């Protein structure tokens, strides 16, 4: 019920589904639902996604923000302090090979 209450925007939900598809084949993947975001972990949390008002998703990653030019430092996101970088996704098309590589890199560090 937390997930249904959080992910109400169809565009944001489609982005969430694309992120889930991008990480679906990672071993030992654990998905957790919180009140304000959806989180993924292995031994520790490596990523989280939360919908943005007006569409889009903020994706938090357990990576240094300088890992890639598209990443920024998070501010008051309300998720684990392990997630030290964020990426704003405005469409499913933005989940490209580079984002999949960032997700895998964060997973490898967890």
């Amino acid at each position: 019920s937390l997930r249904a209450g959080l992910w109400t925007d169809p565009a944001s939900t489609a982005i969430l589904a694309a992120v889930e598809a991008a990480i679906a084949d990672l071993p030992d993947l654990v998905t957790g639902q919180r009140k304000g975001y959806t989180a993924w972990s292995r031994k520790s949390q490596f990523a989280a996604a939360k919908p943005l008002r007006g569409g889009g998703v903020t994706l938090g990653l357990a990576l240094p923000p300088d890992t890639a030019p598209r990443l920024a430092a998070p501010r008051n996101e309300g998720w684990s302090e392990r997630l030290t970088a964020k990426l704003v996704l405005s469409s499913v098309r933005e989940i490209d090979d580079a984002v999949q590589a960032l997700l895998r890199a964060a997973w490898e560090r967890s």
Side-chain angles (χ1 to χ4, degrees):
S1 66
L2 286 176
R3 183 177 171 118
L6 180 63
W7 297 97
T8 58
D9 176 67
S12 297
T13 304
I15 295 169
L16 173 68
V19 169
E20 289 178 321
I23 60 175
D25 65 338
L26 297 176
D28 305 320
L29 182 68
V30 176
T31 301
Q33 185 62 53
R34 313 294 193 275
K35 184 177 180 180
Y37 60 93
T38 301
W40 297 280
S41 60
R42 182 168 74 164
K43 294 178 184 170
S44 57
Q45 192 176 114
F46 69 88
K50 69 178 183 176
L52 295 170
R53 290 185 185 169
V57 169
T58 299
L59 179 65
L61 297 166
L63 294 171
D66 62 356
T67 302
R70 294 168 68 180
L71 297 178
R75 294 188 183 197
N76 303 319
E77 298 298 339
W79 50 40
S80 170
E81 65 274 354
R82 288 189 40 79
L83 305 182
T84 55
K86 75 174 183 178
L87 174 63
V88 175
L89 300 167
S90 57
S91 77
V92 172
R93 292 184 304 274
E94 294 180 9
I95 302 170
D96 55 12
D97 290 343
V99 172
Q100 289 182 9
L102 291 170
L103 285 161
R104 178 170 281 282
W107 171 83
E108 288 172 351
R109 292 173 51 120
S110 69

